[in-house]
Amino acid sequence: MCGIFAYLNFCVPCQRQNVYEILLRGLERLEYRGYDSAGIAVDYPEEGVHIVRKQGKVKMLRGIVFDIEKAEYSSIVSTHVGIAHTRWATHGEPSERNSHPQSSGEDNSFMVVHNGIITNFKDIKHFLEKENYTFTSDTDTEVIPKLTHYIYHHTEEGETLTFPEVVERVISQLEGAFALVFKSTVFPKQIVAVKRGSPLLVGIKSERDISMDKVNISYRQRQSSGDDRAFNEGGQSAEYFFASDASALIEHTDRVIYLEDDDITSIVDGSLRINRLQKHAKTDETASRQITTLRLQLQQIMKGNYSTFMEKEIHEQPESILNTMRGRIDFSTDTVRLGGLISHASAIKRCRRIIVIASGTSYNSGVATRQLLEELSDVPVVIELGSDFLDRLCPVFRDDVCIFISQSGETADTLNALRYCKSRGALLVGITNTVGSAISRETDCGIHINAGPEIGVASTKAYTSQIVSMVMLSVMIGSDRISKQKRCTEIVQGLKELPDLIRRVLKKDHEILSLAKELYEEKSLLLMGRGYNYATCLEGALKVKEVSYMHSEGILSGELKHGPLALVDENMPCVIVVVKDNTYTKCHNALQQVKARQGRPITICEEGDSDVQSMSYRSFSLPSSVDCLMNILAVIPLQLLSFHLATLKGLDVDCPRNLAKSVTTE
């Protein structure tokens, strides 16, 4: 949800038009996080600060920004602070007045952009209204700049607060999950950022070499001029970028700092400092934040020869899956080595229960691999939705292994479940696609799926890479047992062939397009499967809903007679996955039941299965693979189907309505 971008150039002369362009391009990179409305705040010669906000996508904002008085575009600014935001509405409808930046009042003395939710905003708003503050939006965010204004103007007699100190007092009153970037006319050419539960990172760019590899943290309120805890002490020329995701930074710099919860980052006189609200029991005065080098490349976040990111990411799956396996599987010895789990491998293999916790597509990847994980570990495997898991306060024990799957590594429900399990002493394993994310930092060990940046809101390649990661984890657990070695070898050899098999499936895209042309005007779609492919149907139905807005439902075919069969008639399109695994006969029975009710079964089956094909209204054939990998091959036609259904309707597949890529609120 919501994308934050901010830019500060210190003693780096830049045309004002270039400042606008940097802010707008940053928002365009983050638009997958929210696209209900967007806005920027920049310094302006006559108005002090100029705030521009617009309902709709960033291109709508761009049109307004460049319609403003152009005489100032060529003027040079040596030091300047600009903040920007693209919104996914949570409090208040998408509109200009609910867009960010939100301001403390008409004088714009304090402005803020916000990603997250303030859970106690009603109490703060009630207090501020009694203090004669007037609110003009329906957002929870507006209380933040107004509270900042109140705190700044209500200090003790003789007390003078710095900008970071004001922000520190503000966030001590806030509850919820948030990332915030503050700009102020009271503290010109300064910027303060803070995070708690929502992602935020800082990019650093300097013409001189960045020799420091870390920035030390301070717990003191004030710094002396000789304090070595600051980056760029002395204020040499530098540029700083704040963003919700690294994709917005890579075209500017590859040197970044991943902020952690309750870090208060300020840039004053060109020097960057990180303070914290309080000292953690396990943290000492030498605590620091590393300045890391991004391994992301700009071309990875470009569409290339494809019209949309979703289409590009579907067709990238042979490479993304290969990258997930790279360096982790020795095909000459049929062994799996997961470096991120080595130190905890024995504890994982000794556990009494495995709990997999996730949301959305990541949850479906857990369902897709539960059967194999149970088979190779010989322990119970429980799949939990993060939100439901927390609602029930599920019992968790010290000898449990809890696996948390999240593409972004910031999913709020999954992250809160992680912290719950951590408090109960369980071993925590993270599976994410984002280096430096909260889940990757807070788990004991984990697997980075290496799928590459995924910009389309509807997850595709991350899903299949999550399945491959879970399959590798299962093989690692089972490989020590003699009784499981033959099975593990079979799976490893199947993984070796998998990228080539995916390429064969993708070559049949024209068949899926033909089917989509027949289905795109339908109102509903049923998808049925069993065993490993129950998850395929859940994920396929989710994709159809997400991007084409067609009602679709993934059904366990074993439950067909327990209610869903009532939906089947000659007008209801039904997709049935029937592959040659241990559920083949039962899935074949479901196909016969649909056929007997005058249904129109569209089957996904294996090549050469003439029996299934003869009973099908339409059939799509897959190359054969190991049973536990067939769900990867089977989901690709459904990804393509959802894509074509949406494009035939003229919909934006990369930015479906009401959705955002990273859900950082409950």
Side-chain angles (χ1 to χ4, degrees), residues 268-336:
V268 179
D269 297 329
S271 297
L272 183 150
R273 291 186 172 87
I274 300 177
N275 285 25
R276 287 182 64 80
L277 282 171
Q278 59 185 4
K279 185 175 178 180
H280 191 274
K282 296 182 179 180
T283 307
D284 56 29
E285 285 291 331
T286 62
S288 61
R289 297 288 174 263
Q290 296 296 313
I291 301 176
T292 61
T293 301
L294 290 175
R295 290 182 288 181
L296 181 67
Q297 295 181 347
L298 184 59
Q299 59 264 32
Q300 291 180 286
I301 57 173
M302 305 296 286
K303 293 177 184 177
N305 295 325
Y306 295 94
S307 60
T308 66
F309 282 111
M310 183 179 182
E311 183 183 18
K312 173 178 179 273
E313 288 154 7
I314 291 172
H315 286 269
E316 283 179 339
Q317 287 177 104
E319 290 73 32
S320 61
I321 281 178
L322 195 60
N323 289 333
T324 302
M325 297 187 289
R326 195 183 306 278
R328 292 165 169 170
I329 300 181
D330 186 339
F331 293 111
S332 64
T333 59
D334 296 325
T335 55
V336 173

Side-chain angles (χ1 to χ4, degrees), residues 210-216 228-232 255 291:
I210 300 175
S211 57
M212 293 179 64
D213 61 358
K214 63 182 179 180
V215 176
N216 290 331
D228 62 359
R229 295 178 179 276
F231 172 82
N232 197 30
R255 301 289 278 163
I291 301 176

Side-chain angles (χ1 to χ4, degrees), residues 630-656:
M630 286 299 297
N631 51 17
I632 294 176
L633 299 177
V635 80
I636 292 171
L638 300 179
Q639 293 173 346
L640 291 168
L641 178 63
S642 64
F643 168 75
H644 289 306
L645 289 172
T647 54
L648 288 168
K649 292 181 175 184
L651 302 173
D652 186 343
V653 297
D654 287 336
C655 301

Side-chain angles (χ1 to χ4, degrees), residues 498-515:
L498 190 58
D500 288 335
L501 297 181
I502 293 173
R503 290 186 184 97
R504 287 173 57 183
V505 176
L506 289 169
K507 287 179 180 178
K508 299 184 178 184
D509 187 19
H510 63 282
E511 296 181 32
I512 298 298
L513 175 58
S514 173
L515 175 62

Side-chain angles (χ1 to χ4, degrees), residues 42-61:
V42 294
D43 296 329
Y44 212 64
E46 296 180 359
E47 300 177 40
V49 169
H50 193 64
I51 297 179
V52 187
R53 301 182 295 191
K54 181 66 176 175
Q55 182 180 346
K57 291 189 174 183
V58 176
K59 65 181 179 182
M60 303 294 291
L61 176 67

Side-chain angles (χ1 to χ4, degrees), residues 149-167:
H149 183 276
Y150 175 84
I151 288 175
Y152 176 75
H153 289 284
H154 289 79
T155 57
E156 295 180 5
E157 186 175 351
E159 183 181 25
T160 302
L161 298 178
T162 65
F163 199 5
E165 289 170 345
V166 174
V167 172

